[in-house]
Amino acid sequence: MAYDYFYGQQSEQFSFYRIPKILFSQDKFWNVSTDAKLLYGILLDRMNLSARNGWLDEAGRVYIIFTIEEIKESLGCAEKK
């Protein structure tokens, strides 16, 4: 597969995970791994989907269902990681 440059608005065709900058800019998060920060972004994405689906608990908090197996698959990692 050949990868080419993006032209004009082509980059808009992709979805992206959003990871809060604070995880990279605040000293208190220096020891959090980049994998954990990436997982946080994936979980935020799932939270937005849950909110759109109205998945709220009795206190009005959004909840997600994301199994360990799904996390391992998303990150491409093993159980021990």
Side-chain angles (χ1 to χ4, degrees):
M1 174 185 274
Y3 294 99
D4 196 8
Y5 292 98
F6 293 107
Y7 299 94
Q9 297 297 315
Q10 286 180 322
S11 66
E12 298 298 320
Q13 65 184 319
F14 298 104
S15 297
F16 296 93
Y17 290 118
R18 298 180 67 191
I19 303 171
K21 289 181 182 181
I22 193 171
L23 296 177
F24 297 95
S25 62
Q26 293 290 315
D27 288 339
K28 64 182 171 182
F29 299 112
W30 73 269
N31 61 340
V32 177
S33 72
T34 53
D35 283 343
K37 293 171 184 177
L38 176 59
L39 177 57
Y40 190 82
I42 293 170
L43 293 173
L44 282 176
D45 184 66
R46 296 291 291 246
M47 184 193 62
N48 289 330
L49 178 62
S50 292
R52 284 195 305 266
N53 288 328
W55 291 5
L56 306 172
D57 67 10
E58 58 281 346
R61 298 171 296 205
V62 177
Y63 67 89
I64 62 173
I65 298 172
F66 200 43
T67 66
I68 298 296
E69 289 301 317
E70 290 173 313
I71 290 170
K72 290 183 337 188
E73 186 177 316
S74 292
L75 292 176
C77 66
E79 182 89 21
K80 298 292 182 182
K81 184 139 185 165

